[in-house]
Amino acid sequence: MPTNNKLKIFNDPIYGFITIPNSLIFDIIQHKYFQRLRRISQMGLSYLVYPGAHHTRFHHALGCMHLMQKAINVLRFKGVTISDDEENGLLVAILLHDISHGPFTHAMEHSIVNDVSHEEISLRFMEELNIEFNGSLTLAISIFKGEYPRQFMCELISSQLDMDRADYLKRDSFYTGVAEGNINSERLITMLNVVNDQLLIEEKGILSVEKFLVARRFMYWQVYLHKTGVVAEQLLMRILKRAKALVQQGVKLNCSDSLFYFLFSEINLETFNSETLTVFSKLDDYDIVAAMKDWQSHDDFVLSNLCQMLLDRNLLKIKLKNKPITAADLKIHSDALIKKHGITPHEADYFVFEGQLMNQAYQNKTQKINILLKSGKIKDIVKASDQLDLKILSKPITKYYMCYPKKKM
């Protein structure tokens, strides 16, 4: 329940001291739903590549709130009217934008929950909190859903240059040690302006936007889509899928009650009710790690081997190609595995598979980054930039990968 406000200051390694502006924000941060984010990794299994990447969604959410405070101050200074209620709405919306992330970030969305995005679960959390906080989150929910009539506020939450990206690029760069991703988020925010309820960057901020887009491209190839991180996440998704299949066949698996609920039940958007939300709120990275430590000794060949691979960082081999992987390429490795271990083709599919990676630093067809020129004209960054050919960053690049066991398996 809401508590008395206290003056709280967080010491953040990126921005220094972050202050909590009011009692509502304090009470939300204190809530068990938000405190769970301390146990959710910001970058999933990327620490298997970059040992320092152990920061959490809790860090990130506070960082986003801090940047939103700065953005509000900058826009007010430039004459943009933002009421106290709107300020609260923006701060709450950005604070809770990632409250729905499950263990190791995206693994659950693609394994034991069917077609339920983390944005949809975030909305369920916010609606539940809105009841608990007597309607105090109504405006924040409207902004989060993109329905609030002042469009620039929605863009501060979700756009190509929102406070989410402004924090995670800088934060993830810091914790991974990948210097190419380090952006000057404070300068970007200082260059913000609003015209006709549209969020813009002033002309003198063009170079900062260019650096931001280049940094985003580097971070995706070097960090978020790093091949070792990709194969690790694929292994985790296959562990959860195999565990779910076994549980639904009646096989006994030791795990937490919260994890068992999702393994046993068929969860989709329609069945994701308040009970499901309560159980989901108790699920975090520790449930998955504890389960894998137990399952590595299980009788099931697939489950035990997948868990051992991930826990011991003895991962599958992964090859990247510029062309799609053929069935013949996969069959060679699949047949060898079946012959060696006497498993079924279905079981072999857990270890031999293909996929694709796509990197597009700037989606100029969906949401543009617009530049406010000194003349008053507004141009898309691609046309306004004279230093870089940003059309290249607008083109999606696809790479194809194949995973299969190393010879010693």
Side-chain angles (χ1 to χ4, degrees), residues 369-381:
I369 296 176
N370 285 316
I371 304 298
L372 176 62
L373 302 179
K374 291 175 184 176
S375 64
K377 290 184 178 180
I378 297 171
K379 277 189 178 181
D380 175 20
I381 182 63

Side-chain angles (χ1 to χ4, degrees), residues 158-314:
S158 179
S159 68
Q160 300 239 33
L161 207 58
D162 56 34
M163 297 305 101
D164 175 34
R165 293 183 185 188
D167 180 79
Y168 78 64
L169 283 175
K170 191 172 184 68
R171 187 170 300 277
D172 295 349
S173 167
F174 175 86
Y175 280 99
T176 57
V178 177
E180 291 84 352
N182 187 18
I183 62 167
N184 192 341
S185 52
E186 295 199 2
R187 175 162 174 79
L188 277 169
I189 290 170
T190 304
M191 295 297 110
L192 288 175
N193 211 328
V194 173
V195 174
N196 297 326
D197 262 342
Q198 184 181 14
L199 197 64
L200 307 165
I201 293 287
E202 293 168 353
E203 185 175 357
K204 55 190 173 182
I206 286 179
L207 290 176
S208 296
V209 176
E210 291 175 342
K211 172 71 164 60
F212 169 82
L213 293 175
V214 171
R216 191 163 185 266
R217 184 184 185 91
F218 278 136
M219 284 295 284
Y220 268 85
W221 283 136
Q222 288 185 238
V223 179
Y224 308 127
L225 298 178
H226 189 286
K227 65 178 186 177
T228 303
V230 167
V231 73
E233 185 171 50
Q234 287 294 325
L235 282 173
L236 179 55
M237 289 191 304
R238 280 162 169 72
I239 287 168
L240 294 173
K241 284 180 180 178
R242 183 61 174 180
K244 188 175 183 74
L246 292 173
V247 166
Q248 295 190 343
Q249 290 168 20
V251 176
K252 179 174 171 53
L253 289 182
N254 294 324
C255 62
S256 69
D257 292 341
S258 302
L259 181 54
F260 183 80
Y261 177 92
F262 283 93
L263 294 177
F264 183 77
S265 311
E266 284 295 336
I267 304 297
N268 54 43
L269 193 56
E270 290 182 4
T271 60
F272 204 103
N273 53 30
S274 58
E275 178 195 356
T276 308
L277 189 71
T278 300
V279 178
F280 184 87
S281 72
K282 298 175 182 176
L283 198 60
D284 55 50
D285 291 5
Y286 298 97
D287 295 82
I288 305 299
V289 173
M292 288 194 298
K293 288 174 72 176
D294 188 279
W295 297 344
Q296 66 180 328
S297 304
H298 197 273
D299 292 339
D300 183 72
F301 175 88
V302 173
L303 186 63
S304 61
N305 275 280
L306 290 175
C307 289
Q308 286 171 28
M309 285 178 175
L310 202 49
L311 289 170
D312 299 340
R313 202 190 176 279
N314 183 23

